[in-house]
Structures are given as C-alpha cells and as structure tokens.
Amino acid sequence: MYFPPFTSSLLIAARCLALTSLLGGVVACGNAEKPKAVSPAEVENPVKESDLTTVVITADAEKRLGIKTVAITTDNVQATREVGGEIQAVPGQAVTIVAPVQGTLRGGASLTAGQRVRQGQTLYSLVPLPPERDLLTLDQGITQARTQLQVAQARLQRAEELLADRAGSVRARDDARADVALAQRALADARARQGAMNGNTNGGQALPIKAPLSGVVQRVSVAPGSVVTANTVLVELAALNKVWVRVPLFVGDLHRVGKDQSVTVRPLNGGATRQARAVEAHLLSASAGTGTPGAGAADVFYELDNTDEAFRPGERVAVDVTLSSGNSATGGTATTAALTIPAAALLYDASGGQWVYVRTKPLQYTRQRVEVQRAVGNQVVVSRGVQAGAEVVTDGAAELFGTEFGGSH
C-alpha cells in the first residue's frame, strides 16, 4: 500500500513516541526503591557495659561501706616466666604391685583411683592356684579320690565284720581305718583345690597383698574375684609427701635460672589471687638433652613439699619461674615495669571474670573488667583493663559489688 511522504513521517514519529514511553516505564521500574529488610529482633534502648557497671552512692553510704582507694602505679617487679608444668611422682616413691603367684583375688572391692592407703594395709588376698598342668586334672583327681574313699570304707566295713565273727584281726581293722582317713584327706584336698579355682579358700591359706608405702592409689588394674597369673599388675601406688615439678624452659633462659632461686606453682584453675605454693627447692636438673629434640626446650625439675597432698601426679600446673639478670658480674634478679594493684581490689564474678571498681567521679564507681597476669606478693600484675593513675577500690570493693547486684542493704 502506498503512503504519502508526510504520512510515513507521522507513523515513524508515533512509533518512536510509543517506544520512548515503553523504555521510560522500564527505567522507572528499575529505579523503584527496594523494601527495607525487617530485622528479626530489635533491642530498645541499648546500654553499654560501662553504663551498666556504674554505681553512684551517697557520702553517708561511702562512709558506712568504709571505701578506700589507691592509685594504680607502674612498679618494677621481678621478671618471671610463666610456663606450664607437670606434677610427677618422685622416682622410687611410685610402686607397682604385682601378683607373686598364680591365684584368685579376694578383697579390694573398695579400691579406687585417688584413694589414700597406709603402709601395711591389706589391699588384696590372693588364693594360690595349683600349676596349670594340675588344673587340667582337677575333676579327675576328685573322682579318683572319691573312688579311693569308697574302696577304703568298704574294706573297713569288711574288716569290722570279720572281726565281729572272730575271723579277722584288730590290726587289719586299724589298717583299714587308717586307709579311710587318708582317702578322706585326699578327697578334701582335691575339693579345696577346686574351690580355690572358684575363689573359695575353704579354710585354706591366702596370701595377703599389702601396701609397701603410704600414698595414693594411682591405678587399679584388676577386679576382685579375677584369676591372675604371676607378675600380673594389680595396683599402682604413689607417695605424695614430696613430688617433682617438670618445667620445660627455653634453652636461652637456662643461664638465667639460679640454683638458689625458687619457683611458684599454682593450679591452673586457681587464679592469680589463690594462695600459691612457693617451692623452696634446689634445681634438680637442667639439661638441654632432657628436652624434645628440635624443640629448643629443656626440662627443669623442682621438688615440692606436698605433705597436704594438694597436687597429684599428672596434674598440669602454672609455674612462675624467677629469672635473674643473666650477668654473672652483677648478679641479682631481673626486673620489669608493670601495672600493679592490691590483691584486695580484685573481684570475681560467677563466670570467673576479673573486675575492679574505679573511682571515676566523686561518689561514683565504675566496675571495669581487667586481665591479671600473675601475683607478686600482695600485689597482682594487670596486663590490661586499667591505666596508671586510676584509683581502684581496695577496702569496700566487695560491698560495692553486693550493692550493685542487690546483695547489700
């Protein structure tokens, strides 16, 4: 079909206008705002931890609680190296008890690991068993002994009947009685051996297994009633009045450990303020050859007085090793600068967190979380959480803690 030139121009313009409208709609859809994401939970009026731990009291309350503060200072404290150690039994003070002969165990039902025993205490009773070659013939032996007894009793009865008819002699009757007695003894012994196999002595002798020293049961290897062979391990004991502490040290620190210096041993869960165990002992050994090859560490041993049995062999402990200056000319103990606070200022929450109260304003105290590195006498070294110059509460810290959580009135 033919269109005039002006008509074609109009059609082209209309098509362009429609296409422009369509593109504009697409662009408009692309620029439409996305809906905001809805949070699954919202916290209204969030409060910082520092705002939750601020206590404001009156002057009368401060006086009544007896609050005293001290300024945190940077002091020179002894240079120590905190390392992990392991408690070990003193060689020769740990014994392994074995069965002397083959037999059946009796007693020992109450023996458990960690139980204390005294020297000479009977731990087990061992009923000896006959050799293995005899165990195979136990039933045959009983049958044979029973048959011999029956034969001897028949002979005795026959001898008594002949004697009553004046056809026998008194001597024959007495010999028959002796044979019956021997047969009865043989049958009783055979039954006793079989009873020993089942753990019954039937009045027989049992060997007592006694503790050779006073100490603590380390391990129980057998149960009562078990049949054991000779040299079977029964129980392991360790004397704990003295123990060794194995301390792996970097070989570069060995020359800084003096033979007359002591170390401080602490339980891993004891915290820095728990009363630590000061080990006043000479250095037992220090040799790079006692460490792990290639590890660059050497095992150093200290002896610990453990009369109260607070530490057990195998227990992991924290050990603070005091280091000297390493200069043989000057000698002395090396020191290092550190932030220290009185141990009385340190508080623990129910989760084991460490806190102190810092006076931020007059009559205002803020509880701040701190991280304690170690204890030095009545002071504790703080690695972070507070700054030098801040005033921490010593007397009355526990009372503030109770006031904050409603435990004090």
Side-chain angles (χ1 to χ4, degrees):
M1 181 180 293
Y2 172 78
F3 292 97
F6 69 91
T7 305
S8 300
S9 300
L10 290 175
L11 291 174
I12 294 173
R15 291 175 180 176
C16 291
L17 180 61
L19 181 61
T20 302
S21 301
L22 179 61
L23 293 177
V26 173
V27 172
C29 292
N31 294 333
E33 295 183 359
K34 297 181 179 179
K36 295 182 179 179
V38 179
S39 176
E42 293 185 1
V43 179
E44 298 182 357
N45 302 323
V47 182
K48 296 181 180 180
E49 182 182 65
S50 59
D51 296 334
L52 285 174
T53 58
T54 299
V55 179
V56 179
I57 60 177
T58 63
D60 292 338
E62 184 180 56
K63 182 178 180 181
R64 178 167 52 87
L65 295 177
I67 295 177
K68 294 182 180 179
T69 61
V70 297
I72 300 176
T73 59
T74 302
D75 300 325
N76 290 327
V77 297
Q78 290 182 346
T80 60
R81 186 84 68 213
E82 182 179 357
V83 295
E86 181 183 1
I87 302 296
Q88 296 182 350
V90 178
Q93 296 298 315
V95 297
T96 300
I97 302 176
V98 300
V101 295
Q102 179 178 251
T104 303
L105 286 177
R106 301 184 63 188
S110 61
L111 283 182
T112 57
Q115 179 181 346
R116 292 177 174 84
V117 297
R118 64 182 185 277
Q119 184 177 6
Q121 178 180 344
T122 300
L123 307 179
Y124 293 99
S125 293
L126 181 65
V127 181
L129 290 176
E132 293 183 2
R133 63 179 181 272
D134 294 339
L135 293 176
L136 300 176
T137 61
L138 280 177
D139 293 337
Q140 297 177 1
I142 292 178
T143 303
Q144 182 178 359
R146 186 182 294 112
T147 302
Q148 290 176 350
L149 177 59
Q150 292 174 355
V151 173
Q153 289 174 343
R155 288 177 180 176
L156 175 59
Q157 183 179 0
R158 178 60 178 168
E160 290 177 347
E161 290 177 353
L162 291 175
L163 182 60
D165 296 338
R166 298 181 180 274
S169 63
V170 176
R171 180 176 180 180
R173 184 199 61 184
D174 293 341
D175 291 342
R177 288 179 176 177
D179 292 340
V180 170
L182 292 175
Q184 289 175 343
R185 179 61 182 270
L187 179 59
D189 291 343
R191 288 175 174 172
R193 286 193 296 269
Q194 190 177 46
M197 184 64 183
N198 298 325
N200 300 320
T201 60
N202 292 330
Q205 295 295 327
L207 299 177
I209 307 297
K210 298 184 178 181
L213 51 80
S214 298
V216 174
V217 176
Q218 293 292 102
R219 185 166 66 95
V220 180
S221 304
V222 294
S226 302
V227 177
V228 297
T229 59
N231 299 323
T232 299
V233 176
L234 305 180
V235 64
E236 295 179 5
L237 303 178
L240 301 183
N241 56 332
K242 290 185 180 296
V243 294
W244 283 6
V245 186
R246 182 179 66 86
V247 182
L249 284 181
F250 175 60
V251 292
D253 291 334
L254 292 180
H255 68 284
R256 303 180 62 186
V257 178
K259 294 183 178 181
D260 56 345
Q261 293 176 350
S262 63
V263 297
T264 301
V265 180
R266 295 179 285 108
L268 289 180
N269 60 348
T273 59
R274 177 174 172 176
Q275 186 176 2
R277 297 290 307 277
V279 182
E280 300 292 341
H282 60 281
L283 190 64
L284 296 177
S285 67
S287 173
T290 60
T292 304
D299 290 337
V300 181
F301 291 86
Y302 291 88
E303 191 174 63
L304 166 65
D305 183 11
N306 193 41
T307 307
D308 57 355
E309 298 181 358
F311 297 98
R312 299 294 180 89
E315 179 181 356
R316 299 289 182 173
V317 293
V319 182
D320 296 324
V321 182
T322 304
L323 301 178
S324 63
S325 60
N327 189 341
S328 58
T330 59
T333 303
T335 59
T336 182
L339 290 178
T340 60
I341 63 173
L346 192 62
L347 298 171
Y348 291 87
D349 59 20
S351 302
Q354 299 169 328
W355 303 82
V356 295
Y357 279 101
V358 178
R359 174 183 284 174
T360 53
K361 294 179 181 179
L363 304 179
Q364 179 174 311
Y365 301 91
T366 301
R367 181 163 51 90
Q368 295 185 5
R369 189 185 299 273
V370 294
E371 184 175 330
V372 176
Q373 183 180 12
R374 56 190 173 92
V376 180
N378 295 327
Q379 302 286 109
V380 291
V381 178
V382 179
S383 57
R384 61 180 179 179
V386 291
Q387 298 179 352
E391 294 185 4
V392 295
V393 178
T394 54
D395 297 351
E399 286 75 10
L400 279 177
F401 197 73
T403 300
E404 179 181 352
F405 291 98
S408 178
H409 299 282

